[in-house]
Structure formats: structure tokens, C-alpha cells
């Protein structure tokens, strides 16, 4: 027999889920990290990342960095976010990478 715990994982209601889905659709590479309850509201932790612009050194190598974002937002019962959210980011320094493609022809206008 399994020992059932009385703890239930917090879930988002329809309005809160709509807010989270609209945020995720507007930020590429975003995902929900965790959901928990605090003072009757739901707290959602969201992470996403993006690449910086590439700087092409030669046809086989380029330099590119990564910016990672993390946000913790408190959602009310009616789905709107509280005014303050905790936001942080981390910049990974650009590093030299090799390309799997071979550039030919005109690279700029």
C-alpha cells in the first residue's frame, strides 16, 4: 500500500494559466520552473535564455554569448500579476565556437 500524503501540489486556475501561457508565447525558450503557494497567491518561477548576436570571425568560427533570465512572479487569484516581480539575469561571456556550415558568397550588402 502506498502512503498518501495530504500535501497537494499547487495548480494554476484558468486565468492564471492564461497569463502564464501568454508570457511563455512571447518569450522564446521560456519554461515554467516551479509553482508554489504563498499567502493564498500562486508564485510562478519562469526561466528563459537567448543567444547574443553572432560575430563571424572566419567561415568556420564565430563568437557568441548567452543571456539567461529568471523571474519569480506572484499571481493573484484572478490571474493578474502583482506589481513587483523578482527578476534576475546572468550573462555568459562570449566564447569562440566552430560552425558546422561553410559560408560562401556575399556576407553583407
Amino acid at each position: 500500500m502506498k502512503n498518501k500524503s495530504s500535501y497537494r501540489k499547487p495548480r494554476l486556475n484558468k486565468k492564471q494559466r492564461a497569463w502564464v501561457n501568454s508570457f511563455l508565447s512571447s518569450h522564446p525558450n521560456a519554461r515554467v520552473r516551479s509553482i508554489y503557494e504563498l499567502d493564498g497567491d500562486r508564485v510562478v518561477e519562469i526561466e528563459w535564455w537567448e543567444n547574443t548576436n553572432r560575430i563571424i570571425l572566419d567561415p568556420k568560427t564565430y563568437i557568441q554569448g548567452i543571456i539567461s533570465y529568471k523571474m519569480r512572479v506572484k499571481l493573484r487569484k484572478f490571474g493578474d500579476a502583482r506589481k513587483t516581480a523578482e527578476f534576475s539575469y546572468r550573462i555568459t561571456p562570449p566564447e569562440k565556437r566552430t560552425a558546422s556550415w561553410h559560408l560562401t558568397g556575399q556576407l553583407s550588402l
Side-chain angles (χ1 to χ4, degrees):
M1 294 178 91
K2 291 184 179 180
N3 185 6
K4 292 189 177 183
S5 174
S6 63
Y7 174 75
R8 190 177 135 203
K9 184 177 171 182
R11 299 198 176 160
L12 301 176
N13 63 26
K14 288 180 184 180
K15 292 180 181 180
Q16 292 168 338
R17 176 59 61 189
W19 186 91
V20 169
N21 287 338
S22 70
F23 185 86
L24 293 178
S25 67
S26 65
H27 292 81
N29 305 317
R31 67 180 179 151
V32 174
R33 188 73 168 156
S34 67
I35 301 169
Y36 57 92
E37 188 172 347
L38 182 67
D39 299 332
D41 294 331
R42 300 288 189 264
V43 178
V44 180
E45 291 182 358
I46 300 173
E47 291 181 346
W48 72 97
W49 58 271
E50 63 184 25
N51 292 321
T52 59
N53 293 333
R54 289 182 181 142
I55 299 171
I56 298 175
L57 300 176
D58 60 52
K60 291 279 185 180
T61 59
Y62 64 94
I63 296 175
Q64 186 174 29
I66 298 172
I67 304 173
S68 303
Y69 302 98
K70 188 182 284 188
M71 183 176 75
R72 183 178 301 143
V73 63
K74 196 174 192 181
L75 296 176
R76 293 181 179 155
K77 194 180 281 189
F78 299 111
D80 55 339
R82 298 269 183 200
K83 289 185 179 181
T84 58
E86 294 177 25
F87 178 79
S88 63
Y89 63 93
R90 192 182 84 226
I91 299 173
T92 304
E95 57 187 36
K96 194 177 204 180
R97 300 179 186 185
T98 58
S100 59
W101 66 82
H102 182 67
L103 299 174
T104 58
Q106 184 177 353
L107 294 177
S108 64
L109 296 174

